[in-house]
Amino acid sequence: MPAKKSPSLISPTGVIKLMTHAMMGAALGLVFGLALVLLNPAVANLLNHGGYSAAVVFVTTLVTTFAIGATLTGLVFILAEDKEF
């Protein structure tokens, strides 16, 4: 009878995997924000007129949203990887 293995989320490797997914999401959020500003002049105009605080809120919102989404997706992938079918 094989020994039960502990879930990989609790281990340091699981935490590193989740952090990696979060960093990938943050990078994708930055790339998406840059593409949005470069391809849509209305967004660039809004950010120009909004000042520094508008740019910070824009970037923070995109990065946080993408990072949370990628982390939750990574969580699902890690949990699905633990199950043996």
Side-chain angles (χ1 to χ4, degrees), residues 3-24:
K4 278 194 161 192
K5 62 179 183 176
S6 64
S8 66
L9 274 180
I10 300 171
S11 69
T13 306
V15 173
I16 290 172
K17 285 181 182 179
L18 282 179
M19 286 183 354
T20 305
H21 281 278
M23 289 186 290
M24 285 189 291

Side-chain angles (χ1 to χ4, degrees), residues 4-63:
K4 278 194 161 192
K5 62 179 183 176
S6 64
S8 66
L9 274 180
I10 300 171
S11 69
T13 306
V15 173
I16 290 172
K17 285 181 182 179
L18 282 179
M19 286 183 354
T20 305
H21 281 278
M23 289 186 290
M24 285 189 291
L28 279 174
L30 285 173
V31 169
F32 180 74
L34 179 64
L36 191 61
V37 168
L38 291 177
L39 296 176
N40 193 348
V43 174
N45 192 22
L46 283 173
L47 290 175
N48 276 339
H49 285 62
Y52 177 75
S53 62
V56 169
V57 168
F58 176 74
V59 169
T60 305
T61 302
L62 281 177
V63 167

